[in-house]
Amino acid sequence: MNVELKILEYLVSNDNGNFVNVSLIDENYHLITRVIDNLLGRNLIIAENRNPRDFGAFGITNKVDSINVKINSNGREYLYCLTSTKSDCSKSSKKRIWKMAYFFG
């Protein structure tokens, strides 16, 4: 949860419309990939498809993966709900339901 919050806050603070590399946010790369997969599954972020880079010509034998993602509106709302009080979060979801009811009504 702490890494999830750290990733979402980093994406919001560095949001310029482009994909941002989040692979160096935490030392545990496998934990970052699990959190990113979880956030992608819940439709909170968008990932850029990239192939891993092989730096064998430079003497580096392992492949370096960069995880490029950006936050979407669902992720912003989820981060707002995490950092604010519960009553604020429930009010925003009720407003959205009524707006959708008006739109489809």
Side-chain angles (χ1 to χ4, degrees):
M1 179 75 170
N2 189 17
V3 175
E4 179 180 273
L5 183 63
K6 194 186 303 187
I7 289 172
L8 291 174
E9 286 176 344
Y10 182 77
L11 289 174
V12 168
S13 65
N14 294 313
D15 187 21
N16 59 2
N18 296 326
F19 288 94
V20 179
N21 184 8
V22 294
S23 61
L24 300 175
I25 287 179
D26 194 65
E27 294 176 5
N28 190 349
Y29 180 78
H30 297 292
L31 178 63
I32 291 174
T33 56
R34 280 187 278 151
V35 170
I36 292 295
D37 288 339
N38 185 8
L39 292 173
L40 283 170
R42 294 187 303 177
N43 194 22
L44 300 176
I45 59 173
I46 302 168
E48 181 181 33
N49 293 331
R50 280 192 146 180
N51 294 329
R53 295 184 229 162
D54 187 12
F55 292 110
F58 300 108
I60 302 172
T61 57
N62 59 348
K63 293 185 178 185
V64 178
D65 292 335
S66 64
I67 305 170
N68 295 330
V69 295
K70 64 180 175 178
I71 194 164
N72 60 13
S73 59
N74 293 339
R76 287 183 185 279
E77 185 175 349
Y78 178 70
L79 179 64
Y80 176 74
C81 289
L82 284 178
T83 57
S84 66
T85 61
K86 293 286 183 187
S87 62
D88 292 341
C89 186
S90 63
K91 287 180 186 176
S92 68
S93 64
K94 287 180 183 177
K95 275 185 179 179
R96 188 177 62 201
I97 290 171
W98 282 109
K99 285 181 183 179
M100 294 301 287
Y102 177 77
F103 179 72
F104 289 114

